Amino acid sequence: MTTRQTPASTNAVPPPGAAGNRNGLLLLALSLGYFLVMLDTTIVTVALPAIGADLDGGLSGLQWVSNGYTVTFAASLLTAGALSDKFGGRRVFLVGLWSFAVLSAVSAVAMSMGMLIALRALLGIAGALLVPTSLALIANTYADPKARAKALGVWAALSGSGLVAGPIAGGLLTEAFGWQAIFVVNVPVALVCVWITTRRAPETARKPGRGIDLTGQIAAVAALGGLTFGLIQSGPLGWRDPQVLVALGVFVVAAVVFVMAERRPDTDRGGPMLPGTLFRDPVFPAGLVAGAIVNFGLTGVLFVLSLFFQDAHGFSPSVAGLAFLPLTIPTAFNPIFTGRLVARIGARVPATIGFVMMALGTLAQVLFDGNSTGEVVIAMAGLLVLGFGVSFAIPSLLTVVVGSVPKELAGVGSGALNSARQTGAVLGVAVLGALLSAGDTPTGGAQLALVVAGVVLLVGAVIVATFVGRKS
């Protein structure tokens, strides 16, 4: 009589470390997904002159190539969280990855400036789907709080590096293979993430009855899009142009609709994207404003300097990209130190120091008038100071915002901070780009934009010093 053997895969105990390896590979995929999202916010900056020359676009067109992505990304983040709850994090994350891969491939063959801008807007929506879903999958994969905290640290470190690595990668890829390569590079990375996620990711709990705040979502897109269009087109068309006035009118109406939509009561089947309870503590709105200012400065300055380095100083795309290397160095290690410092003394001092350093690093670029050795050294040192400022300010603000909201709304609070930061990025490119075009020369316009950015960052320092408590 033969005894039927039970397949080893059914009851066998996994070898030691197997679960850790499995989770580690999934964490890599989830982090790389968000890395692509952050990378795409800045990778285009150094490639903009090449895109403009190839697709025949002026400064306003280049601003839209940058902002088309960020507008939809910022406006869709909170709704993406609701979609994750409704349909499951794994499913929505995979939809976001597939969409990101396909849209990136099509962007590489864009034949006109308008087509590329439209594709960038769709890419922003796809990118928004990856942020809350990756967090939900990490929360479901790592049940132990300590393991989850470590996983979130890896996720934040790897994904956050995409923001500052973008200009370097964009410059090297553009000079070696053309601007199309900055989109092609997304495809294999996204497909690898799809392969890993399909095989390793657990499904998150679904809430089929969860409602979607369509009124608030549409109003947010319309308000941010109208404001951005008005600011960008005010340069070439003037503030009295009918298109500009209509766009600003759309912004005002949509903003009112958004506020009214967010004031309605929450229910089991859905409610506002931003519940009113979040604003009971003044630290929360102050944190959102400060978060917007951080990205106003960072993304706006990257946009201005990418054009300034190439147009005024004659840098090639690869040299312009490598010039941003001093900015990226502190972001590789300083957030860890910042986290420990915030735990010890609170967020006020690190956040204030961060904003001041960002302002000083930005204002140092104003002195970069020629190409003398001394001026180059000052500019690079300024970028290093700017990088340290970013790595002090952003982790501190995340701690402030999450700590100021009820625990059950921590996800919404962090999503609101991300949305505020991306809104600041949109305004940074729009406002500083408009100032860039207002100058008599490329150097004069860039210096004006950099001075304004520095002043705005100093205002951010005042805000956090005033509203952020010594202990978060």
Side-chain angles (χ1 to χ4, degrees), residues 104-124:
S104 294
V106 179
S107 297
V109 295
M111 303 301 293
S112 68
M113 187 68 76
M115 180 180 178
L116 182 58
I117 292 170
L119 288 167
R120 288 279 292 166
L122 293 174
L123 267 170

Side-chain angles (χ1 to χ4, degrees), residues 57-82:
L59 179 60
S60 61
L62 297 180
Q63 287 175 278
W64 276 112
V65 170
S66 178
N67 267 347
Y69 176 88
T70 319
V71 165
T72 54
F73 178 55
S76 303
L77 273 171
L78 294 176
T79 293

Side-chain angles (χ1 to χ4, degrees), residues 133-385:
T133 50
S134 61
L135 286 171
L137 288 170
I138 289 175
N140 276 263
T141 302
Y142 295 89
D144 179 68
K146 292 183 179 180
R148 186 186 308 147
K150 292 180 180 178
L152 287 172
V154 173
W155 176 85
L158 182 57
S159 57
S161 64
L163 186 67
V164 290
I168 298 175
L172 295 174
L173 288 170
T174 298
E175 184 156 337
F177 306 106
W179 64 264
Q180 294 85 351
I182 67 175
F183 299 109
V184 173
V185 72
N186 292 336
V187 178
V189 178
L191 293 180
V192 168
C193 293
V194 166
W195 184 81
I196 296 173
T197 304
T198 302
R199 287 158 177 76
R200 308 262 173 141
E203 186 53 274
T204 59
R206 301 179 191 176
K207 301 176 183 177
R210 172 70 184 270
I212 305 297
D213 184 10
L214 287 178
T215 302
Q217 177 62 87
I218 294 172
V221 173
L224 190 53
L227 178 61
T228 305
F229 184 91
L231 291 173
I232 289 177
Q233 297 303 121
S234 66
L237 300 179
W239 288 102
R240 297 183 180 181
D241 185 87
Q243 295 183 48
V244 175
L245 295 176
V246 168
L248 295 178
V250 168
F251 160 68
V252 172
V253 173
V256 172
V257 172
F258 178 79
V259 171
M260 296 300 295
E262 301 313 293
R263 290 172 63 88
R264 72 184 189 278
D266 198 359
T267 66
D268 291 337
R269 296 192 59 83
M273 292 188 291
L274 287 174
T277 53
L278 291 173
F279 294 88
R280 291 174 182 172
D281 186 343
V283 171
F284 178 75
L288 297 188
V289 173
I293 290 176
V294 164
N295 275 43
F296 178 96
L298 177 60
T299 307
V301 167
L302 286 176
F303 177 84
V304 171
L305 291 181
S306 295
L307 297 175
F308 182 47
F309 287 164
Q310 295 179 73
D311 293 343
H313 293 282
F315 288 4
S316 67
S318 61
V319 172
L322 290 172
F324 289 107
L325 185 59
L327 190 154
T328 67
I329 293 174
T331 63
F333 65 89
N334 199 55
I336 298 174
F337 170 75
T338 300
R340 295 174 179 173
L341 187 62
V342 170
R344 184 187 307 170
I345 66 173
R348 173 184 289 180
V349 173
T352 304
I353 290 174
F355 275 96
V356 172
M357 293 183 77
M358 287 185 69
L360 294 177
T362 298
L363 293 173
Q365 308 308 311
V366 177
L367 303 177
F368 192 23
D369 196 9
N371 284 329
S372 68
T373 302
E375 289 176 330
V376 171
V377 170
I378 291 174
M380 296 304 103
L383 289 175
L384 183 66
V385 172

